Amino acid sequence: MTSPSCFEPLVKANTFASLPSDFYTRLPTTPLTAPRLVHASAEVAAVLGLPTEALDTQEFLDVVSGTKPMPGGDTMAAVYSGHQFGVWAGQLGDGRAHLLGEIQGPDGSFEVQLKGAGMTPYSRMGDGRAVLRSSVREYLASHAMRGLGIPTTQALSLVSARNPVRRETLETAAVVARVAPSFIRFGSFEHWAARRRPDLLRVLADYVIDRFYPECRDESHSSTAADTRISDDTSTVGDISTTGDTTTAKDYEPYVQLLRAVVRRTATLMASWQVVGFCHGVMNTDNMSILGVTLDYGPYGFMDGFDAKHICNHTDSGGRYAWHAQPAVAHWNLYQLANSLHEIVPETEPLKAALDEYEACFLGAMQARMSQKLGLSTWQAGDETLIDDLWSLMQASHADFTLTFRQLAYAPGLTQASQEQIERDLGGTVNANLLPFVDLFVDRAGAQAWLSRYSARLCSDPTQHWQERVAGMLAVNPLYVLRNHIAQQAIEAAEKGDFSEVERQYELLRDPFQARAGLEAYAAAPPAGAPHLEVSCSS
Ligand code: AMP
Ligand code: MG
């Protein structure tokens, strides 16, 4: 007798499959040789409604390794296009991703996707595989982001196999199972705009609105401006000022509202990235989620020493995706999305107006987050300068991004309490081996002078008691981020078959705000003289 399937009761009809077959290709995954489970996330399983016991079953390993299809599922790869490094790249698509099906979890439905489970019609020159190194990085990064409360695709499991995979050197294959309500990208829209298929573009936009942005049908705004082309970028989809389409103003309004909603979510996402020093590395339009979640972890990096021009991706020699450029790049990407929607929105002004909301939304989100990071309960005149001056000091000293904000809560002179008292009262025993705030700066005098100004500013903060302020700061300024040299330890151990370091980092990153005794090394900057790790698009 076969044991009951843990997936089958949860799997529902794959909603993405209700789209016309132009959007995807049905095909099976290609099994790996002797797959082994490196890690599975009980937390993400719970999001899907999968019991923890299911993670130890053969059925689970079979499904998340791509050995067998998900019972009740419908395996397929999706097509999309995109701009890569600012250049129109034409058709891309799920070259090594398979959508297995959709699961109805307790709080919503999620698509389950495998990355690295074999070739698809969209693989182009690729082999359809992912290596263990990059899969460990994707797995841990998505948990790090989840722990930080940043919207992201979520990794359910990581599987390793013996199959050799050729990159710069010979490596071994791995598969990450990841979940999200949808994996639709800006590039999914660009695809149909470039092909001059307003019919399919409208089907896609309606699908996204109905499933994820139903409020876009409620709001009504007038759209009156003359029809002029919104992009001066002729590399995209040509002049689409006359679509020959019969859409009426009433019909297209939801698409304008969709753009507005995506603009807002993307702006907020950028602020969340910026304030933890996260660099995505490959912000191509095909890696931008229409839901505003972090998508496709490749050569990303959490900054160690602060440098606004930090480039995490070795392949990005021009610094297009440097930390300071990310918010503007997201706006550029949204511009491409707007340009695509122009195929079904005959007027440009409403699209422009939606795009114009980006800056205020981003700045508002930054201001809210920076005040929290500094423990300011109000926003006062002079705060912007105070914060800008902190960035400048950090830049001049390449002060550690994460520790600067974390250690600010403990800086002496800001409260009557000693550091020991703060640690005792607010939990955690971590600081002993980490540099205090001022010592993070080469310009210690400058840092001290800034602290005096900050201290004076705190005196004018109306209501807060210091304990409330410090507790608030420790709840938003992480102690642990997935630094490259830390992830590298997990990779090297995993490549030797030791998965305990993946487990340790997973546990740490689940709650990156909580200090753990004995794990100071995970919070520290890379040791001086440590080899520089180069991370590239090779994955
Ligand atoms: P990425 O830079 O990882 O976002 O990938 C860009 C495009 O290349 C997407 O269409 C991917 O599916 C595809 N791709 C990347 N690596 C591979 C691979 N090893 N095999 C097949 N397709 C790939
Ligand atoms: Mg991608």
Side-chain angles (χ1 to χ4, degrees):
M1 195 182 108
T2 51
S3 54
S5 163
C6 54
F7 283 100
E8 202 152 20
L10 307 171
V11 177
K12 54 177 237 179
N14 184 348
T15 323
F16 188 73
S18 69
L19 290 172
S21 59
D22 309 71
F23 286 85
Y24 49 78
T25 303
R26 285 197 168 84
L27 80 171
T29 52
T30 310
L32 290 161
T33 308
R36 279 177 74 189
L37 190 65
V38 175
H39 202 268
S41 166
E43 282 180 309
V44 177
V47 168
L48 299 177
L50 274 176
T52 314
E53 310 83 73
L55 308 182
D56 296 323
T57 63
Q58 185 63 40
E59 183 200 23
F60 182 78
L61 180 59
D62 286 345
V63 168
V64 298
S65 62
T67 306
K68 292 185 181 166
M70 189 161 81
D74 191 359
T75 310
M76 54 181 59
V79 70
Y80 52 84
S81 293
H83 280 83
Q84 298 187 317
F85 290 91
V87 177
W88 177 242
Q91 180 179 306
L92 302 163
D94 288 336
R96 52 169 170 175
H98 290 76
L99 169 62
L100 298 186
E102 193 176 322
I103 285 188
Q104 184 61 52
D107 298 317
S109 62
F110 288 86
E111 291 182 351
V112 181
Q113 190 186 67
L114 299 188
K115 185 166 172 182
M119 283 172 50
T120 77
Y122 317 112
S123 298
R124 298 175 297 148
M125 309 296 281
D127 56 9
R129 293 298 184 195
V131 296
L132 183 58
R133 163 179 56 83
S134 66
S135 304
V136 168
R137 284 174 53 82
E138 165 132 17
Y139 188 77
L140 289 176
S142 62
H143 287 293
M145 296 298 255
R146 178 178 159 80
L148 290 166
I150 298 177
T152 177
T153 60
Q154 305 189 43
L156 172 64
S157 60
L158 169 59
V159 163
S160 167
R162 295 219 195 94
N163 306 58
V165 179
R166 161 105 16 225
R167 295 292 180 260
E168 279 86 0
T169 60
L170 205 57
E171 302 188 45
T172 53
V175 173
V176 169
R178 56 186 192 177
V179 308
S182 170
F183 290 90
I184 292 173
R185 301 133 195 276
F186 291 10
S188 313
F189 287 76
E190 288 177 282
H191 184 73
W192 298 117
R195 299 203 165 192
R196 298 288 155 78
R197 291 295 303 268
D199 53 333
L200 292 177
L201 187 58
R202 195 175 297 108
V203 166
L204 180 64
D206 284 337
Y207 172 85
V208 170
I209 291 171
D210 291 342
R211 292 213 66 205
F212 308 111
Y213 295 98
E215 67 281 4
C216 290
R217 297 214 189 275
D218 305 336
E219 297 169 36
S220 66
H221 289 255
S222 62
S223 315
T224 49
D227 185 14
T228 50
R229 180 167 166 72
I230 56 167
S231 173
D232 54 4
D233 178 358
T234 49
S235 69
T236 55
V237 290
D239 185 341
I240 49 176
S241 59
T242 49
T243 59
D245 197 29
T246 54
T247 315
T248 66
K250 210 169 168 219
D251 288 336
Y252 69 69
E253 190 55 33
Y255 310 136
V256 176
Q257 296 309 322
L258 173 63
L259 179 64
R260 286 184 70 209
V262 179
V263 162
R264 285 189 229 130
R265 283 207 200 171
T266 307
T268 314
L269 181 70
M270 288 308 110
S272 326
W273 287 3
Q274 295 306 94
V275 300
V276 296
F278 176 79
C279 301
H280 182 282
V282 203
M283 285 178 66
N284 295 336
T285 55
D286 53 298
N287 291 337
M288 298 291 293
S289 154
I290 202 71
L291 301 184
V293 304
T294 315
L295 173 65
D296 279 6
Y297 294 92
Y300 67 84
F302 285 89
M303 243 189 267
D304 294 309
F306 178 64
D307 176 9
K309 293 189 176 163
H310 177 70
I311 304 167
C312 62
N313 177 1
H314 181 61
T315 317
D316 180 15
S317 50
R320 179 179 174 84
Y321 299 139
W323 176 83
H324 74 101
Q326 295 188 124
V329 166
H331 186 249
W332 190 91
N333 289 342
L334 286 160
Y335 206 104
Q336 305 314 319
L337 178 64
N339 223 355
S340 301
L341 288 170
H342 191 23
E343 278 286 325
I344 52 173
V345 178
E347 297 195 41
T348 45
E349 280 310 317
L351 295 172
K352 274 184 179 172
L355 283 175
D356 286 347
E357 290 184 27
Y358 179 83
E359 188 177 357
C361 193
F362 170 71
L363 292 176
M366 278 300 281
Q367 187 175 310
R369 283 163 178 72
M370 290 308 293
S371 337
Q372 282 180 322
K373 285 177 87 69
L374 266 64
L376 308 175
S377 65
T378 55
W379 186 257
Q380 298 181 8
D383 286 351
E384 195 172 333
T385 313
L386 186 73
I387 291 171
D388 283 349
D389 291 348
L390 178 59
W391 290 125
S392 301
L393 277 168
M394 288 167 69
Q395 177 73 42
S397 290
H398 291 311
D400 187 82
F401 191 108
T402 306
L403 290 180
T404 295
F405 292 105
R406 181 73 182 190
Q407 299 296 65
L408 183 57
Y410 298 101
L414 301 180
T415 65
Q416 303 300 315
S418 65
Q419 180 174 309
E420 290 70 29
Q421 212 179 333
I422 296 177
E423 290 191 351
R424 193 183 57 236
D425 292 354
L426 296 169
T429 51
V430 72
N431 264 305
N433 297 316
L434 296 173
L435 288 176
F437 179 83
V438 168
D439 292 345
L440 293 165
F441 297 84
V442 180
D443 178 10
R444 295 178 80 260
Q448 194 60 61
W450 184 87
L451 264 188
S452 304
R453 286 166 58 203
Y454 173 63
S455 180
R457 166 64 183 83
L458 289 180
C459 294
S460 69
D461 215 57
T463 49
Q464 284 196 107
H465 191 267
W466 72 264
Q467 271 151 318
E468 202 186 325
R469 172 172 54 78
V470 171
M473 291 170 76
L474 296 180
V476 296
N477 291 309
L479 179 59
Y480 306 106
V481 291
L482 187 59
R483 297 171 187 268
N484 271 344
H485 75 286
I486 299 291
Q488 190 60 26
Q489 293 170 17
I491 292 167
E492 286 172 17
E495 284 175 341
K496 293 184 189 122
D498 172 4
F499 305 144
S500 60
E501 190 57 29
V502 171
E503 164 67 18
R504 185 172 304 119
Q505 293 186 21
Y506 171 84
E507 281 300 326
L508 209 56
L509 296 168
R510 272 178 57 189
D511 183 1
F513 305 104
Q514 183 60 49
R516 318 293 210 288
L519 296 180
E520 291 88 348
Y522 289 86
H532 174 66
L533 288 167
E534 269 173 3
V535 188
S536 73
C537 282
S538 155
S539 62

